[in-house]
């Protein structure tokens, strides 16, 4: 499967916090950055997300904001 | 300034492609990942984005999709 | 590949309009609905999108707005 | 009311799962596709969303990701 | 039509900049704030957006980021 | 810090509703408009969001939908 989404980062699940509707999933992107995803709790269950599970974090380019220091 | 957006990655601009309304900005996140942002051309100009410029790439956690291989 | 994104609709590309940075892709979802995606022109090229090409349209549940008539 | 959002699908609510802040709403788009929306619980209450209720599912084109099989 | 989107601001169009695929629309929200929307050029044409036209700017709550100064 | 996001509105927090994963934050934009943000509960805690706290509401232009009456 090839996705139009430009940003796809292989990562490992570190922490899953489950709510009634949404779950927060903290993953560690290969190379060391931590990344947080808020997905439905149902999706987290369906994908079997748990610490150690390998995933890909996908982000569409229109969702990225850039900032400068000055 | 402290942002509610959970994902904030220091990066360096590599390529800016300017359109009439939108610009595509390829940045290299510190540690090596490439990341693409589609922002308005006006924003790219206002921030002075050009190769070598230091930026922070900001992504809200609700915008992240996760995928597994199985 | 299994995605956390809850909405995944098999479809056929009908029209691709290419801009400098963004491309608009009109697809026909199996069953008859027309759906429009705005993705980067680079992604449209990389996926080889052209009329007749089979695709899957993917939409995260947090991106859906609901409306009622009353 | 005419919306700039390109994708507007008439649908019927099937299941509403309410959380403290967010609610998940499963709707059946006319023609048969199931579609999931994550909206605030307050919006679900304000719109009176319940099984059988007619709605329109609205999706901005910049939020759609496309995928191909190859 | 009642929308699940929590933020709906009556406004007047000030400037429309048209690209091949996307258009940038600057509106003045009643009360004085300026707000910028990037929508498809096709939507801007379909809605007849031009300076002076009355519109409502709609923003889903999951798309809002908050920042503090400290 | 200068952000590519075009819409940045100074505001005051009015109500915070905390869920297990997401929190809903109602703010009053200077000039009088009410605006609702759905952010992670963890972000609301990290920013110390509470009634009276000064914030900036940030919205990327690609997330704005426009509507007309006709």
């Amino acid at each position: 499967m090839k996705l139009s989404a430009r940003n796809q980062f292989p990562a490992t699940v570190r922490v899953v916090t489950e709510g009634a509707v949404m779950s927060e999933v903290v993953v560690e992107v290969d190379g060391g950055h931590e990344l947080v995803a808020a997905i439905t709790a149902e999706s987290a269950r369906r994908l079997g997300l748990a610490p150690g599970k390998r995933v890909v974090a996908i982000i569409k380019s229109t969702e990225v904001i850039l900032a400068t220091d000055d």
Side-chain angles (χ1 to χ4, degrees), chain A residues 8-54:
Chain A
Q8 305 179 35
F9 304 119
T12 303
V13 174
R14 289 296 172 228
V15 186
V16 180
T17 307
E18 193 176 330
V21 167
M22 300 294 286
S23 281
E24 179 183 301
V25 185
V26 181
V27 306
E28 186 183 327
V29 175
D30 295 2
H33 288 285
E34 201 178 81
L35 193 146
V36 183
I39 63 175
T40 59
E42 170 62 24
S43 284
R45 277 189 298 266
R46 190 171 38 89
L47 296 190
L49 298 187
K53 178 94 176 175
R54 292 291 293 165

